[in-house]
């Protein structure tokens, strides 16, 4: 779900062309499903969650644990169905119970991959649940589009600014290609995007959208670094090969995962109802 520019780091013209072609097909499809909402969007969120969990399992060395895969994927899918039915407490309770069972099983049998899969269950399940809840809440389509826009703008700006200016590395040990200049460039571009959305929407408090876009940009880059750290920990370059020119699904939406989960958690901390994170912007008179 990321546009063609992608991450900082070198890539040949042919790979860039392939990335552009893939994005030209995937982005319109994603936007159409976002607009439809309801079960079509829930199916897309569920598919993303399933692929995230699969790729996570492969990265941590549990790709051939078929019984574990069936159990964990079925459990995550069930949590998304519960979320779509507005049974959010039950969805979260099931998700954390599922992760706990897998972790304890790995602990009991002395298998590290299973313990890592328990974290992947939370990573993928919370992503799907949050995306569904945001889309089903007030101003759902607008907020999801805003979330995607901030993540895309951050990613693209960080790529081009980082390649153009270079400079000190953001976190050399985890992601040698990322620079502080790229991170700051992505953040500033997100602020501009947030302000543009506020102006286009005629909202009464543009500052709320600018602040939200800045926070989401930071969360997006944290999600990107988290995935880089995970792959570095297990010596994996790409999370998969499902998207031509882009790698795996996790490679493409790690920033979205970070922005969605951390952004939703912040909205709850600021007093938004669990089913309506848009309440934060409403309370700030931004809508």
């Amino acid at each position: 779900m990321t546009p063609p520019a992608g991450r900082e780091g070198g890539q040949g013209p042919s790979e860039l062309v392939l990335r552009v072609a893939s994005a030209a097909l995937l982005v319109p499809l994603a936007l159409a499903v976002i607009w439809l909402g309801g079960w079509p969007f829930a199916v897309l969120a569920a598919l993303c969650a399933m692929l995230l969990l699969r790729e996570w399992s492969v990265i941590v060395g549990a790709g051939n644990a078929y019984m574990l895969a069936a159990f964990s994927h079925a459990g995550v899918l069930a949590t998304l169905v519960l979320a779509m039915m507005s049974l959010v407490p039950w969805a979260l309770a099931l998700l954390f119970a599922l992760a706990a069972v897998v972790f304890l099983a790995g602990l009991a049998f002395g298998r590290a991959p299973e313990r890592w899969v328990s974290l992947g269950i939370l990573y993928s399940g919370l992503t799907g649940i949050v995306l569904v809840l945001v889309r089903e809440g007030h101003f759902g389509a607008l907020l999801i589009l805003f979330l995607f826009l901030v993540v895309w703008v951050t990613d693209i700006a960080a790529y081009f600014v980082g390649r153009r200016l270079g400079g000190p590395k953001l976190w050399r040990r985890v992601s040698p290609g990322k620079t502080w200049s790229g991170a700051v460039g992505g953040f500033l571009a997100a602020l501009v995007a947030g302000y543009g959305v506020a102006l286009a929407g005629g909202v009464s408090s543009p500052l709320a959208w600018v602040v939200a876009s800045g926070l989401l940009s930071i969360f997006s880059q944290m999600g990107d670094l988290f995935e880089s750290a995970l792959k570095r920990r297990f010596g994996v370059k790409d999370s998969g090969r499902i998207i031509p020119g882009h790698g795996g699904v996790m490679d493409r939406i790690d920033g979205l995962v970070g922005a969605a989960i951390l952004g939703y958690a912040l909205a709850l901390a600021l007093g938004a109802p669990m089913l309506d994170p848009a309440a934060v912007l409403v309370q700030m008179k931004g809508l």
Side-chain angles (χ1 to χ4, degrees):
M1 294 183 185
T2 301
R7 314 302 170 87
E8 295 177 56
Q11 57 185 16
S14 60
E15 183 178 352
L16 186 58
V17 169
L18 190 57
R19 289 166 72 92
V20 171
S22 296
L25 294 175
L26 294 175
V27 171
L29 175 61
L31 293 177
V33 175
I34 289 171
W35 181 258
L36 287 173
W39 284 104
F41 183 81
V43 170
L44 176 64
L47 177 61
C48 286
M50 296 295 99
L51 292 173
L52 282 176
L53 181 54
R54 173 58 185 169
E55 291 177 0
W56 181 291
S57 299
V58 172
I59 288 173
V60 303
N64 294 325
Y66 300 114
M67 290 296 293
L68 173 63
F71 176 73
S72 58
H73 282 72
V76 169
L77 183 59
T79 66
L80 295 180
V81 173
L82 290 173
M84 191 60 192
M85 297 170 63
S86 298
L87 300 174
V88 184
W90 289 101
L92 292 174
L94 175 60
L95 183 67
F96 280 93
L98 180 68
V101 168
V102 171
F103 178 82
L104 292 175
L107 199 63
F109 292 101
R111 290 186 52 82
E114 279 77 355
R115 298 199 293 273
W116 277 97
V117 168
S118 66
L119 184 57
I121 288 171
L122 297 178
Y123 181 87
S124 59
L126 287 175
T127 299
I129 290 173
V130 167
L131 289 177
V132 167
L133 293 183
V134 172
R135 180 59 185 87
E136 291 304 301
H138 287 92
F139 313 106
L142 176 61
L143 286 183
I144 286 288
L145 289 172
F146 175 65
L147 175 64
F148 275 56
L149 175 65
V150 170
V151 172
W152 288 346
V153 167
T154 297
D155 200 32
I156 292 172
Y159 173 80
F160 284 110
V161 173
R163 284 178 63 88
R164 179 68 176 176
L165 299 182
K169 302 300 182 181
L170 183 61
W171 193 357
R172 184 185 297 273
R173 186 170 63 86
V174 166
S175 187
K178 294 180 177 61
T179 62
W180 277 102
S181 64
V184 173
F187 174 77
L188 294 177
L191 297 183
V192 174
Y195 186 69
V197 169
L199 289 182
V203 301
S204 59
S205 179
L207 180 61
W209 289 85
V210 173
V211 171
S213 62
L215 290 171
L216 290 175
S217 178
I218 294 172
F219 294 157
S220 172
Q221 297 190 58
M222 290 172 61
D224 192 348
L225 287 172
F226 176 78
E227 194 227 0
S228 295
L230 179 72
K231 292 190 297 184
R232 178 74 60 172
R233 166 67 174 75
F234 289 96
V236 176
K237 182 179 183 296
D238 294 321
S239 65
R241 301 178 182 274
I242 193 171
I243 307 175
H246 290 263
V249 172
M250 191 186 297
D251 292 323
R252 292 302 91 208
I253 68 170
D254 50 6
L256 178 65
V257 171
I261 294 177
L262 296 177
Y264 195 86
L266 179 60
L268 293 180
L270 292 176
M274 184 172 289
L275 292 174
D276 190 9
V280 170
L281 288 174
V282 172
Q283 290 168 4
M284 298 174 71
K285 298 181 180 179
L287 288 172

